[in-house]
């Protein structure tokens, strides 16, 4: 039932994307002031979701945190699927995606002009491509021993062939394990700085501009903290769903959730600190347009601003209580709240800064259209469909690591 | 030449068998389908893969620098408000990302090549897959002539191997 709903949502989203490409960006609520709109909000949100995967997998692996084995496989899958969802937005946002290859790839246009490598949009392109490829490699490498275990235990010709091809003839000899451990450790080491770099680079799209509310050195750490925070909350949601759906209560325990919830709590505090610094910057240091812009965010858009504070700051404080950290319904509720809060944060950053820029004459309002909403719902559909397919074919908890830790 | 696949009840018996086989000049390899404890497989020996990562990173850095410098300074320099055609500071994000990507691609390619190129007979893989279902403590004994097969069988019986099969290479 969930899968069919997800597929339907994905299908609707794809249909709306085709309609947008065919008709043009006039179908969206964009105007001369708010040119980034919903698409870039969703792009930043999905990239953020994709961050927790590598954090949980690579950083916790380097820190020898064995409890990561309960989450890392699903978190890595989440990363890959979230980046796929994110990558759709900048491409369709160009309005003419068939030209995007000229604008993005290092490929000269018909006037022999190359892409501008000093542009943050180009930095973004390279950051996302690198993060996607390294995440896929890291994810796949971690799965090989499990795919080999499945190869010997699964029945059915198609499935057997699938696992045989993907396991690459892995047997688990001492030599193979040695290369595996070296490679996995090094990939984890390489993926770790990417966690910081990718969202920092995404934040440069905003920070290196002169738009009030964006032009701040706070943005890179603010974005990275937010990404890890929302990503961990999404891991909790997915882990709860998979745990109940597959009956993995013994493998994904409340102890595991408790540790992840502590990271969410830390993330919430970092976000709270960023909000305070943002206010301090606007009211004490920057003043002028930045102050007006922030005032507008807190007054005109106060319902969204309040909801954002509730989701990002207030709700996670419940995790100070050990009982809340171990209660499945509570953590599900809080994690959904965090995700709504973090999406609203991106919405407010992108929209409110653009519709109240320097010149009052260019002030404009923005309202997303139905097509934009359906594309957002579609991206959730694509994400969920891919995740459910992954649940069906790949063990979401690392089998060999579980046995090894025992 | 012949090969033997055998399995044991526990790690200790397998280790004893391995020691005896080595001292008799017989080549054997442990098969650990579920991994092994960290102490038994340490990160040791030649770190070829680390050097490959380093070479990949340097190559990525060099190629990315060359690409950015050539496109913006040589092929089509654009004068944007007197800014330099090529600036290291503005190129750092791309240089960093490409270096990391090439290092990761180097590691991954090396790993895949090492795993795929060591071919084993289909019957051997099938036999190993079947034995894995019984026990995770397996040994793969290779390069055996008739005399060594007898010697290996003797050692395996002595070290309490649960069962073994002989294959012709």
């Amino acid at each position: 039932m969930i899968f069919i709903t997800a597929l339907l949502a994905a299908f609707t989203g794809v249909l709306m994307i085709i309609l947008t490409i065919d008709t043009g960006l006039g179908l969206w609520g964009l105007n001369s002031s708010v040119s980034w709109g919903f698409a870039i909000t969703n792009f930043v949100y999905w990239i953020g979701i994709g961050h927790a995967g590598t954090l949980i997998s690579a950083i916790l692996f380097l820190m020898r945190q064995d409890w990561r084995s309960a989450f890392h496989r699903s978190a890595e899958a989440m990363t890959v699927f979230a980046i796929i969802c994110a990558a759709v937005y900048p491409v369709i946002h160009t309005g003419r995606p068939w030209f995007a290859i000229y604008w993005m790839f290092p490929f000269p246009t018909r006037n022999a002009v190359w892409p501008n490598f000093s542009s943050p949009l180009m930095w973004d392109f390279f950051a996302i491509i690198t993060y996607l490829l390294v995440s896929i490699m890291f994810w796949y490498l971690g799965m090989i021993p499990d795919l080999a275990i499945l190869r010997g235990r699964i029945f059915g010709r198609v499935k057997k062939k699938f696992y045989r091809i993907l396991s690459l003839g892995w047997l688990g000899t001492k030599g193979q394990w040695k290369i595996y451990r070296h490679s996995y450790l090094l990939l984890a080491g390489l993926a770790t700085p990417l966690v910081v770099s990718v969202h920092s680079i995404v934040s440069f799209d905003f920070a290196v501009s002169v738009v009030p509310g964006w032009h701040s050195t706070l943005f890179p750490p603010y974005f990275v903290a937010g990404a890890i925070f929302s990503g961990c909350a999404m891991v909790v949601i997915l882990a709860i769903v998979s745990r109940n759906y597959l009956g993995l209560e013994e493998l994904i325990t409340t102890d595991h959730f408790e540790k992840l919830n502590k990271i969410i709590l830390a993330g919430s505090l970092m976000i709270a600190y960023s909000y305070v610094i943002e206010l301090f910057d606007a009211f004490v240091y920057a003043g002028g347009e930045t102050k007006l812009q922030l005032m507008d965010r807190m007054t005109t858009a106060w319902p969204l601003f309040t909801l954002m504070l509730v989701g990002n700051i207030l709700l996670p404080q419940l995790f100070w209580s050990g009982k809340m950290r171990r209660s499945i319904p509570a953590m599900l509720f809080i994690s959904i709240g965090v995700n709504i809060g973090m999406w609203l944060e991106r919405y407010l950053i992108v929209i409110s800064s653009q519709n109240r820029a320097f010149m009052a004459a260019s002030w404009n309002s923005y309202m997303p259209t139905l097509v934009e909403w359906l594309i957002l719902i579609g991206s959730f559909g694509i994400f969920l469909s891919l995740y459910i397919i992954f649940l069906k074919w790949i063990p979401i908890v690392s089998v060999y690591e579980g046995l090894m830790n025992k | 030449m012949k090969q033997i696949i055998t399995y044991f009840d526990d790690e200790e018996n397998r280790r004893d068998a391995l020691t005896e086989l080595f001292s008799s000049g017989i080549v054997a390899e442990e098969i650990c389908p579920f991994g092994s404890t960290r102490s038994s497989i340490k990160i040791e020996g030649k770190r070829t893969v680390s050097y490959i990562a380093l070479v990949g990173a340097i190559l990525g850095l060099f190629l990315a620098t060359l690409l950015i410098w050539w496109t913006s300074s040589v092929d089509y320099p654009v004068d944007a408000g007197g800014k330099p055609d090529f600036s290291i500071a503005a190129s750092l994000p791309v240089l960093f990302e490409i270096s990391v990507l090439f290092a990761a691609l180097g590691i991954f390619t090396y790993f895949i090549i090492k795993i795929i190129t060591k071919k084993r007979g289909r019957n051997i893989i099938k036999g190993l897959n079947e034995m894995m279902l019984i026990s995770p403590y397996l040994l793969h004994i290779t390069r055996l002539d008739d005399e060594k097969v007898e010697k290996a069988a003797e050692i395996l019986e002595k070290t309490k191997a649960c069962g073994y099969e002989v294959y012709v290479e």
Side-chain angles (χ1 to χ4, degrees), chain A residues 149-161 163 393, chain B residues 133:
Chain A
I149 292 170
L150 285 172
R151 174 192 62 198
R153 283 166 166 72
I154 218 90
F155 297 102
R157 269 182 68 184
V158 179
K159 278 196 168 180
K160 222 175 173 69
K161 201 165 186 175
Y163 293 118
W393 285 79
Chain B
L133 298 176

Side-chain angles (χ1 to χ4, degrees), chain B:
Chain B
M1 297 297 264
K2 291 176 179 167
Q3 301 185 25
I4 292 177
I5 308 174
T6 176
Y7 65 97
F8 296 83
D9 262 348
D10 58 39
E11 179 97 48
E12 247 175 61
N13 286 343
R14 180 170 71 175
R15 203 170 299 150
D16 292 345
L18 198 64
T19 317
E20 289 226 14
L21 286 166
F22 274 127
S23 57
S24 310
I26 296 170
V27 180
E29 193 172 25
E30 288 169 90
I31 307 278
C32 319
F34 308 136
S36 185
T37 51
R38 289 214 170 94
S39 57
S40 74
I41 299 176
K42 283 180 194 156
I43 294 170
E44 57 191 10
K46 278 195 291 181
R47 299 199 170 189
T48 319
V49 67
S50 315
Y51 293 120
I52 285 171
L54 182 67
V55 169
I58 293 169
L59 185 70
L61 184 67
F62 174 73
L63 289 177
T65 313
L66 194 70
L67 175 78
I68 300 173
W69 168 77
W70 185 76
T71 53
S72 54
S73 291
V74 179
D75 193 51
Y76 202 99
V78 179
D79 186 359
K83 286 179 187 169
D85 294 332
F86 173 69
S87 143
I88 291 282
S91 311
L92 269 180
V94 177
L95 297 181
F96 170 77
E97 295 295 335
I98 299 283
S99 305
V100 171
L101 179 63
F102 271 60
L105 281 172
I107 296 166
F108 189 70
T109 313
Y110 174 76
F111 174 80
I112 300 285
I113 290 170
K114 285 297 260 186
I115 298 299
I116 288 181
T117 47
K118 195 156 188 185
K119 284 273 176 218
R120 284 178 175 82
R122 244 196 149 132
N123 54 345
I124 300 285
I125 292 180
K126 204 179 163 196
L128 280 168
N129 275 336
E130 280 166 11
M131 278 194 193
M132 275 177 204
L133 298 176
I134 309 166
S135 165
Y137 310 109
L138 311 177
L139 265 187
H140 181 203
I141 309 167
T142 51
R143 284 178 255 163
L144 296 167
D145 52 26
D146 288 337
E147 194 187 320
K148 279 187 175 172
V149 168
E150 274 178 36
K151 179 76 186 158
E154 197 181 300
I155 292 170
L156 292 176
E157 269 167 39
K158 197 173 119 192
T159 51
K160 297 174 190 165
C162 299
Y164 64 86
E165 270 186 53
V166 182
Y167 295 87
V168 180
E169 273 181 70

Side-chain angles (χ1 to χ4, degrees), chain A residues 25-32 34 37-38 365-370 372:
Chain A
L25 291 182
L27 284 177
W28 294 2
L30 303 176
N31 51 54
S32 55
V34 185
F38 228 47
S365 58
Y366 170 81
M367 191 57 76
T369 62
L370 180 68
E372 285 173 291

Side-chain angles (χ1 to χ4, degrees), chain A residues 114 123 171-172 177 182 197 404, chain B residues 32 35-36 43 75 90 97 120:
Chain A
W114 292 89
W123 302 346
L171 286 171
W177 277 111
H182 270 132
S197 80
M404 197 170 71
Chain B
C32 319
S36 185
I43 294 170
D75 193 51
E97 295 295 335
R120 284 178 175 82

